[in-house]
Amino acid sequence: MTLRRTGVVIPARNEEELLPRTLASVAAACSPEAGVTGGVSVAVVVDSCTDGTADAAHRAAYELGLQLHLLETGTGNVGGARAAGVEALLDAGAQWIGNTDADTVVPRNWLHTQLQFAAAGYGLVLGTVVPDAADLTPRHLALWHARHELAEGHPHVHGANLGFSDRAYVAAGGFSPAAEHEDVDLANRMKAAGVPWVATDWNRAVTSGRSQGRAPGGFSGFLRQLPG
């Protein structure tokens, strides 16, 4: 499978502090040094923000030399924000979409790994995510790892480490406008539509370990449930 255009979607709500770090990691993962050739467009979807997230995105993209699509929405939910970003990139001709979050750092091999699986015929790539150890106590970090499998064939779905083809996305009907678990919902519909998929730990990402996230549940919701 030859992919002519690639895109990355990052929904963001009040993430002016963490978003530049995310964009720096995405820029590194999109570089020729990371094995990614051809231009990569990055869509940052600034959703219902009350801070300087949009300005932070502009500054970081300029400094990093990223091809930025900055979208401002008022959907108020992560599913709608992700959908807006994907649609913008599909309209621009993207054939593969990598997805992450505005409080996440992706590894240098992140996009290259997804594209390797795409070239092998997979339409959906599910990556792993771990919390930033600096944000958790050693006990909470140990509890988190005890409840999560980090291996090939893992059972997890994370919007912060997710990739899919344009065909898979269209076949599944796109992201639903949900406040949480929009990633799991989309992955399940892709699988039901017969999209070839793989779950890998090769391109593990690191996300914020904060317990108060931007979505009601999800990663931060799980961290809140850990016993004190």
Side-chain angles (χ1 to χ4, degrees):
M1 178 181 182
T2 301
L3 296 168
R4 295 187 298 275
R5 295 188 181 180
T6 307
V8 173
V9 172
I10 307 171
R13 179 185 294 182
N14 292 343
E15 293 286 10
E16 64 177 331
E17 181 179 350
L18 296 181
L19 179 58
R21 184 181 66 170
T22 297
L23 288 173
S25 72
V26 168
C30 294
S31 67
E33 291 77 14
V36 177
T37 57
V40 178
S41 297
V42 178
V44 173
V45 186
V46 178
D47 181 38
S48 305
C49 287
T50 58
D51 69 349
T53 296
D55 289 340
H58 268 304
R59 287 194 301 271
Y62 176 78
E63 293 170 359
L64 295 164
L66 287 172
Q67 298 179 27
L68 178 68
H69 292 255
L70 184 65
L71 309 174
E72 297 195 45
T73 72
T75 64
N77 65 77
V78 66
R82 288 196 198 279
V86 174
E87 290 301 325
L89 293 181
L90 292 181
D91 288 345
Q95 296 171 290
W96 185 265
I97 308 291
N99 298 262
T100 190
D101 286 339
D103 64 341
T104 299
V105 172
V106 298
R108 182 174 288 267
N109 72 330
W110 177 64
L111 194 56
H112 181 62
T113 296
Q114 291 188 8
L115 294 176
Q116 284 185 310
F117 279 118
Y122 293 98
L124 170 65
V125 180
L126 305 172
T128 50
V129 175
V130 297
D132 189 335
D135 293 336
L136 299 178
T137 66
R139 180 172 178 274
H140 278 166
L141 186 62
L143 285 170
W144 189 93
H145 278 283
R147 301 182 187 190
H148 287 78
E149 180 181 348
L150 300 172
E152 299 308 292
H154 66 82
H156 311 298
V157 179
H158 301 288
N161 194 349
L162 175 68
F164 47 73
S165 69
D166 56 342
R167 292 182 179 181
Y169 188 76
V170 172
F175 278 115
S176 61
E180 58 184 56
H181 308 312
E182 79 298 334
D183 44 6
V184 176
D185 172 64
L186 178 64
N188 286 341
R189 284 186 280 115
M190 285 184 175
K191 293 175 184 178
V195 173
W197 63 279
V198 62
T200 184
D201 187 43
W202 287 0
N203 61 348
R204 186 186 304 178
V206 178
T207 199
S208 167
R210 63 190 178 196
S211 60
Q212 298 299 320
R214 302 301 186 254
F219 206 90
S220 61
F222 178 86
L223 293 173
R224 286 197 302 273
Q225 294 172 13
L226 292 178

